[in-house]
Amino acid sequence: MLSRNSNLFQAIVVGIVGILLICLHNRIDLLDWVSIAVGLMFILPSLYVLCSSIGSKMKLPGGIAFVSVGGIILGLLMCVFPSAFAGFFVYVFAALLIIFGIYHIVDLASWNKSVKFPFYFYIIPILLVATGIVILCTSLRDINTVVVLVTGIALVASSVNSIMEYIGTRKSVIKTDDL
């Protein structure tokens, strides 16, 4: 039951992120800000690990300091030169769409044993995969606002589809819990 609740929570978070991307898609520097935020996510934990490994009385492997310094350098590069990494995030968004689409298709197929879903439940996941492939195969990385808008719309559609799956399978889960 925890897995189903976490799937619902995941669908809500994906929907919120999609709505945020739709609302902020006109910001030309949005992917630069994403790059800076990810850079900070590299810097802060790396600094914490590096400082705690230096101040620790226990003997820690030397690789921890090396990885921490690498994380700090990568994070600083992402913060100082965010536009250099913005094109990379276009590919990350495309990969997320493909992964979400495949995840939904596999999830629907696994429920197919106990619940028979209509064909239209498969439309959004197939469109997610197709959208991700189109983004990967075109030069849309130069048009950041379009990629962000398309990703936002696809994430909202994925969220709605996940919530429909949750509602559609709720009766089946209740029946199996009664057994």
Side-chain angles (χ1 to χ4, degrees), residues 68-160:
S68 296
V69 170
I72 292 169
I73 291 171
L74 179 61
L76 285 173
L77 287 173
M78 292 178 89
C79 289
V80 174
F81 305 110
S83 49
F85 292 92
F88 170 74
F89 285 110
V90 170
Y91 293 118
V92 170
F93 285 160
L96 282 174
L97 293 178
I98 293 170
I99 290 168
F100 273 136
I102 292 171
Y103 170 77
H104 283 295
I105 292 169
V106 169
D107 194 41
L108 286 170
S110 70
W111 277 102
N112 207 9
K113 298 171 189 154
S114 60
V115 178
K116 185 68 175 165
F117 287 105
F119 75 94
Y120 56 83
F121 273 83
Y122 291 92
I123 292 174
I124 299 234
I126 291 170
L127 288 176
L128 287 173
V129 172
T131 304
I133 291 171
V134 167
I135 290 173
L136 284 176
C137 295
T138 61
S139 63
L140 286 178
R141 68 181 185 275
D142 298 329
I143 309 171
N144 295 340
T145 59
V146 173
V147 172
V148 171
L149 179 63
V150 168
T151 303
I153 292 170
L155 290 179
V156 169
S158 171
S159 175
V160 169

Side-chain angles (χ1 to χ4, degrees), residues 8-27:
L8 180 63
F9 179 73
Q10 174 191 358
I12 291 169
V13 169
V14 166
I16 291 170
V17 169
I19 290 169
L20 284 173
L21 288 176
I22 291 170
C23 293
L24 298 174
H25 82 280
N26 282 332
R27 298 210 37 161

